[in-house]
Amino acid sequence: TSLAAERYVNIESFKKDGGGVKTPVWCADLDGKLVVVTDGTSYKVKRIRRNPKVRLAACDGRGKVRGEWVDATAVIMDDPARAARAHRALREKYGFQVGVLDFFSTIFGRIKRRAYLEITV
């Protein structure tokens, strides 16, 4: 997908009342799907677990959309080997920045809470 080439993608997940919540994220391509790493305890993950329908759009680092929204489906990966491949794909794309994220996630104990999302557009 062309969104895989974007530096940031805005992901909109939906609350029980149907209201959308937008979050800018890093993403990478893995076998034709987008992969995203996030905190597994985040509300975004809770919303996606309840409702896998999401929308995506290219954006800047602050979430300002600069492209069309597309409908997609997100699932939380449960296969550790696939999650490891997702992490490698993100590391290949973002380089040392993912290393910095890993470092601070390890120091602050957040690395064990990670969740990887697999998004089909």
Side-chain angles (χ1 to χ4, degrees):
T1 170
S2 63
L3 286 171
E6 296 290 339
R7 186 130 189 90
Y8 296 96
V9 171
N10 209 324
I11 182 170
E12 183 178 24
S13 55
F14 298 95
K15 300 187 280 192
K16 283 180 187 165
D17 69 5
V21 181
K22 300 175 180 85
T23 313
V25 294
W26 284 347
C27 70
D29 179 76
L30 181 63
D31 304 331
K33 298 184 183 209
L34 290 177
V35 291
V36 170
V37 63
T38 190
D39 185 326
T41 63
S42 69
Y43 284 104
K44 168 175 52 249
V45 169
K46 291 172 183 159
R47 287 189 297 269
I48 287 169
R49 202 169 264 132
R50 192 180 60 252
N51 176 4
K53 298 291 180 211
V54 296
R55 293 191 325 146
L56 304 172
C59 70
D60 65 19
R62 295 178 183 262
K64 185 176 181 322
V65 173
R66 43 177 195 73
E68 294 297 311
W69 286 96
V70 295
D71 292 325
T73 306
V75 294
I76 295 119
M77 289 184 189
D78 52 12
D79 175 7
R82 185 121 177 101
R85 288 186 60 219
H87 190 75
R88 277 196 301 278
L90 288 158
R91 192 161 189 133
E92 282 174 25
K93 181 174 178 182
Y94 295 98
F96 80 93
Q97 291 172 293
V98 172
V100 171
L101 179 73
D102 290 348
F103 176 77
F104 286 105
S105 292
T106 301
I107 284 180
F108 294 112
R110 289 193 299 257
I111 204 152
K112 291 180 180 71
R113 297 196 322 233
R114 277 195 180 160
Y116 290 86
L117 307 178
E118 184 172 62
I119 303 168
T120 307
V121 178

